[in-house]
Each structure stands twice: as structure tokens, then as C-alpha cells.
Amino acid sequence: MKSLLVALARLAVPLLALAAAPVHAGEVDVWLEAEGRAVHSDRAVVDGDSIEASGIGTSLDGGFSWTGGRTEVQFDLGAAVFDFTDEDRSTRTSLRAVASVAHEIVPDVTIAVAVGHWDDIITLEARETDQDAVGVSLAYESRPHRLRAEVQYLAREYAGAVPSTGEALRYEADYTYRFAAWTWARLDLRAEDVDSKDDLRGYERQTIRLSGSVPLDSARRWRLRPQVEWRGWTYDKRTVEATAIPREESYVAPEIGLAYGKTEGLKARLRAAYQFRTSNDPRYRRDAPYIDLAIGYRF
């Protein structure tokens, strides 16, 4: 994995050099978005990558991008606070910082390198995780098609009674077909392999997600957002109760969503999903609903 980091760093050098042109030679865009969020969830176990319990929260995200010719440099910063309904869980404060450089190497084909840090996020391995990541992606876009593939290296630190570390490789690919403005269908694929000094945190996981957007009014401000997601994972050392059999789990989560707003101004989204779980360990088979309402404003 260290060799992957070296390779990505070497790839980033020429892209950063391309981005070194004077700022006045390109276009600059700055944005800021504030959001409030309310979640109701009956999920009894951590699934990773999102808030898995009921509560309310707020977030503030900002960014800066410079585009010059065929090169774009972008910086993103974000902070979020989430207060859980469960009194046994403390309020979570998460931070995020990401920098990326993208360059169109030939018409319609873009290569990008990104580095980022996330502080106090939820992952499948732990409820308190700090993460550093470096990744490279390749994208092809020629309307109505967009195809993108990415590989990431993740270095993680887990808090808790017994702190530990871990690292992972994550492979992602997505394909989007755009029928018209704000009307599209998308397929996302992801595979990841996590290793840790704490054997109980290691696992392999796959994700398949199909989603879409369908405008409900002529101005396309209201949109229906259906989605269905499947995830399956196998733990390296976590076992079925009273056996030596590795735990294997999966879920299918159909979701219906309603979105309002466009690129700037008032934005809102309501998501309602139901998670159908399977597991070879009866303790982790509980199905559960999930409702998420977010209202924000992008300046």
C-alpha cells in the first residue's frame, strides 16, 4: 500500500504543476452552504458511512475552485455537529478537508488526484474514526454518458477503550445517464478491503446502488429521488456467537426521496428507506426504517 501512495504522489506532481498558472488566468468560484438535519432511525447496529441513530444536527460546508484551461483545482472544508437522541451517546463533531486537482488529458477524459482528512466519522469498524485518504480517478463524460472509476488508499485511527489503526483499499466505479436537465439514472459500485492491527475490525465489503432523479414540475425544482442499495460484507475475525464461523451480513434498502432546489439558494431533501437485513448471526438480523430530513441554503 505504501507503493500505491508513492505512485499517486508522483502522479500528483505534474498535475499540481499544471495548476500553478496565475489565478487571474482562470475562473474562480467560491461557495458556502449551511444545513440542518433531523434523523429517525431504528437501526440497531452500525453500518458505517452515515449517522445510524436518531437525532438532529447541523453542518457548514465551504469551497473554492479555480479553473484554467483544462485544469481545475478545488478545496473543500466542512464541519458538522450531530446530537443523538440516545443519552448514552455523546454529541458528535466531525470535520472534513479535501483538496483535488483535475486535468482533461484528452477531450472528454479527465484524470484527478485528491487528498483529504476526516475527523471523528462513523465507519463500519468503529463509531469514532479519523481518516486520511489519497485517491486517483479517471472520468469520461460525453452527454448523455458519464463514466468514472477511482481507487483510494485510506489510513484510519480508531478511538475507544483500546485505540488502534487500520488501512484500506477502496475501488469505486459509477455510470450516469442523463435523459434531460435534472433527469438521470445512476449506478454505483464499490469494493473495499480493510485491514487493522485489531483483527476484529478487518472486513471486506461490496456495495451496489441504483438511483435516479425525476422532475415533478416544469421548473424542475421539485424532484423525485428513488434509490435502492445493497451492501454485503464479511468480517475477518468477528464470528457468529459461540462458533468460529466468520460473520457474514448484508442488507437491501429501497428508498424514496423528495428533493427541492437547484444549485444555489434554498435546498431540501426528504429520504425514507427501509433496511431488510440478513446475517448468519441471529443477533444482527433486525430490519429497520430510516427517515432523514435536511434543509439548507447554498450561497
Side-chain angles (χ1 to χ4, degrees):
M1 292 189 179
K2 290 183 179 179
S3 61
L4 176 65
L5 279 174
V6 173
L8 292 179
R10 288 175 177 172
L11 181 60
V13 171
L15 292 179
L16 290 171
L18 288 169
V23 171
H24 60 75
E27 299 180 359
V28 176
D29 183 28
V30 180
W31 66 91
L32 182 68
E33 183 172 336
E35 182 180 89
R37 184 181 182 193
V39 174
H40 171 75
S41 173
D42 287 338
R43 293 188 288 190
V45 295
V46 175
D47 295 319
D49 303 331
S50 65
I51 298 296
E52 85 294 338
S54 301
I56 57 173
T58 184
S59 63
L60 185 66
D61 295 281
F64 164 91
S65 68
W66 168 80
T67 304
R70 294 183 297 166
T71 303
E72 181 183 58
V73 182
Q74 183 168 314
F75 299 92
D76 295 277
L77 297 172
V81 178
F82 194 86
D83 186 29
F84 294 96
T85 303
D86 186 350
E87 296 182 356
D88 294 332
R89 298 189 62 175
S90 59
T91 300
R92 178 182 304 282
T93 301
S94 303
L95 303 173
R96 171 181 59 85
V98 180
S100 63
V101 179
H103 180 69
E104 187 179 41
I105 51 178
V106 296
D108 302 330
V109 179
T110 300
I111 189 171
V113 175
V115 295
H117 175 76
W118 290 257
D119 189 77
D120 199 6
I121 61 173
I122 296 173
T123 61
L124 184 60
E125 312 98 285
R127 288 182 172 179
E128 297 181 46
T129 303
D130 292 342
Q131 173 178 285
D132 293 305
V134 56
V136 61
S137 63
L138 192 66
Y140 167 80
E141 184 168 6
S142 180
R143 295 294 180 105
H145 308 282
R146 184 179 186 273
L147 181 64
R148 175 180 168 275
E150 180 179 12
V151 58
Q152 283 185 311
Y153 169 78
L154 311 174
R156 290 172 169 172
E157 295 183 1
Y158 311 115
V162 183
S164 62
T165 60
E167 57 183 5
L169 281 176
R170 175 183 290 170
Y171 305 92
E172 295 185 70
D174 59 74
Y175 170 71
T176 303
Y177 185 89
R178 296 187 180 277
F179 300 91
W182 300 94
T183 310
W184 47 264
R186 175 169 171 161
L187 174 66
D188 290 271
L189 305 174
R190 175 190 289 184
E192 51 200 318
D193 186 355
V194 177
D195 294 313
S196 174
K197 292 182 178 180
D198 180 353
D199 291 338
L200 293 178
R201 300 189 191 276
Y203 65 90
E204 295 181 3
R205 180 170 62 179
Q206 300 78 41
T207 302
I208 302 173
R209 181 186 304 116
L210 182 63
S211 58
S213 173
V214 181
L216 298 177
D217 64 329
S218 58
R220 297 183 173 88
R221 290 193 174 275
W222 290 98
R223 300 177 300 280
L224 188 67
R225 294 287 303 274
Q227 175 178 294
V228 60
E229 178 181 276
W230 173 87
R231 288 191 187 188
W233 60 95
T234 302
Y235 289 102
D236 296 343
K237 295 296 181 179
R238 297 191 196 188
T239 60
V240 177
E241 187 176 21
T243 74
I245 302 173
R247 268 175 50 196
E248 296 182 4
E249 299 174 18
S250 66
Y251 71 70
V252 174
E255 175 182 310
I256 190 70
L258 183 64
Y260 172 83
K262 291 192 173 182
T263 305
E264 297 181 347
L266 182 64
K267 304 171 70 175
R269 185 174 179 183
L270 176 64
R271 302 168 52 205
Y274 199 91
Q275 190 180 89
F276 298 92
R277 299 184 63 92
T278 61
S279 175
N280 59 356
D281 189 327
R283 297 173 297 171
Y284 300 96
R285 293 179 184 169
R286 179 182 172 186
D287 301 337
Y290 180 85
I291 300 174
D292 187 342
L293 174 63
I295 300 176
Y297 194 93
R298 186 181 178 108
F299 300 89

